[in-house]
Amino acid sequence: MDWHQLWTIISLPDNIPIVGLMFLIPFYTWYAFRQAFANDRLIDQLDADPEMAKTHHRKTQPYQKGWAREVHVWPYLLRIEFLSAIIVTAILMVWSITLDAPLEEPANPTLTMNPSKAPWYFLGLQEMLVYFDPWIAGVLMPTLIIIGLIAIPYIDTNPLGNGYYTYKQRRFAIWTFLFGFVILWCVMVVIGTLIRGPGWMWFWPGQTWDHNKLIFEVNRDLHEILGITDPILYGIFGFLVVGGFFLITAFGIHKLMTLTEFNRKILARMTLLQYLTMQVLLITMIGLPAKMAARLLFRIKYVWVTPWFNV
């Protein structure tokens, strides 16, 4: 194991945010779950004891007489935000003084860096280019991310969990967020930073980044593996495979959401447009790791090949 190689990668000034992300995301995820479980236990106590419910919020801190029932933005929130801004500014000043971020040599069109990587916050998109057409990874997927974030308030009909952490009342929303943010974004950024080396080849942490390494791997389209040669037939076949994936995944998501009575009530309140929008966004999210598994495990390049686009 070449630990010097690993240290060289993680000690680069540009990669320090990624190292911090690998520790901060798990810590704050654990902390949020800890607070949510504590609030869930309190909610169960309040449901069982009506008298206790009269003097407590749905938070672990009990309500005391004399407390303001409304907390105004000024001065309470703005005072905290102002102090936070000062602290963050001080941290960034110390960071910029102690860590060098030197400019590289002027760009040379005859000599491309290997590996040539985007800034760390775009590495997730660059990793997606391995598995999808450029217009899908660079245009369609980011567009769906933005549309999905905009659509969340109009899709999520669960009124509970506003103003307090809860797990029981927000299971589906919590796991959807964790899957989309941690798995589909943070993990992709870590892969692009620590695992993708020269030639955008896969190097496990500790492996030497050998610029002369050769990998004898053949990536083939699904119709080539099955021996389908007619363009019309493999176009129809790819459409059926992708359509089948959408139908099977939609059925699985629906079954998963109807496991509890609480989720069934939430589904009953959704309109058809809300339900279909949610399904399309969730299936697209699941499609990314499914396509990654097909490429990394079975060397399948594309499932659906057409003259206009490939999936």
Side-chain angles (χ1 to χ4, degrees), residues 237-257:
F237 172 75
F239 171 77
L240 294 176
V241 172
V242 174
F245 172 78
F246 267 71
L247 291 176
I248 293 173
T249 307
F251 179 77
I253 292 172
H254 182 81
K255 286 295 184 183
L256 184 63
M257 292 186 63

Side-chain angles (χ1 to χ4, degrees), residues 136-279:
I136 294 180
V139 179
L140 182 61
M141 288 290 192
T143 302
L144 288 177
I145 292 173
I146 296 173
I147 293 175
L149 292 173
I150 295 173
I152 286 175
Y154 303 98
I155 297 174
D156 189 358
T157 59
N158 184 0
L160 301 175
N162 293 326
Y164 60 95
Y165 288 108
T166 175
Y167 176 72
K168 290 183 178 180
Q169 299 171 351
R170 306 291 297 182
R171 285 190 181 96
F172 183 77
I174 289 173
W175 286 111
T176 301
F177 168 78
L178 290 177
F179 179 75
F181 177 65
V182 177
I183 304 300
L184 300 188
W185 191 251
C186 295
V187 171
M188 298 284 281
V189 170
V190 171
I191 290 175
T193 303
L194 302 181
I195 295 180
R196 291 297 185 178
W200 209 253
M201 291 185 290
W202 191 284
F203 291 87
W204 290 107
Q207 286 185 327
T208 302
W209 282 15
D210 185 0
H211 288 70
N212 299 316
K213 180 180 179 180
L214 297 177
I215 300 179
F216 298 96
E217 295 175 344
V218 178
N219 296 314
R220 297 186 295 171
D221 299 328
L222 183 60
H223 70 269
E224 295 176 341
I225 297 176
L226 300 178
I228 303 175
T229 57
D230 185 86
I232 297 178
L233 290 179
Y234 64 64
I236 296 174
F237 172 75
F239 171 77
L240 294 176
V241 172
V242 174
F245 172 78
F246 267 71
L247 291 176
I248 293 173
T249 307
F251 179 77
I253 292 172
H254 182 81
K255 286 295 184 183
L256 184 63
M257 292 186 63
T258 55
L259 289 177
T260 63
E261 181 66 25
F262 184 84
N263 284 342
R264 287 193 290 269
K265 292 180 180 179
I266 298 299
L267 284 177
R269 299 175 55 181
M270 298 180 69
T271 64
L272 180 60
L273 179 60
Q274 288 174 319
Y275 180 78
L276 292 178
T277 304
M278 178 194 69
Q279 282 281 22

Side-chain angles (χ1 to χ4, degrees), residues 289-309:
K291 188 62 169 58
M292 291 179 63
R295 180 67 175 270
L296 297 174
L297 300 179
F298 305 104
R299 316 310 309 175
I300 297 175
K301 184 177 181 181
Y302 294 124
V303 176
W304 184 11
V305 178
T306 72
W308 309 280
F309 60 86

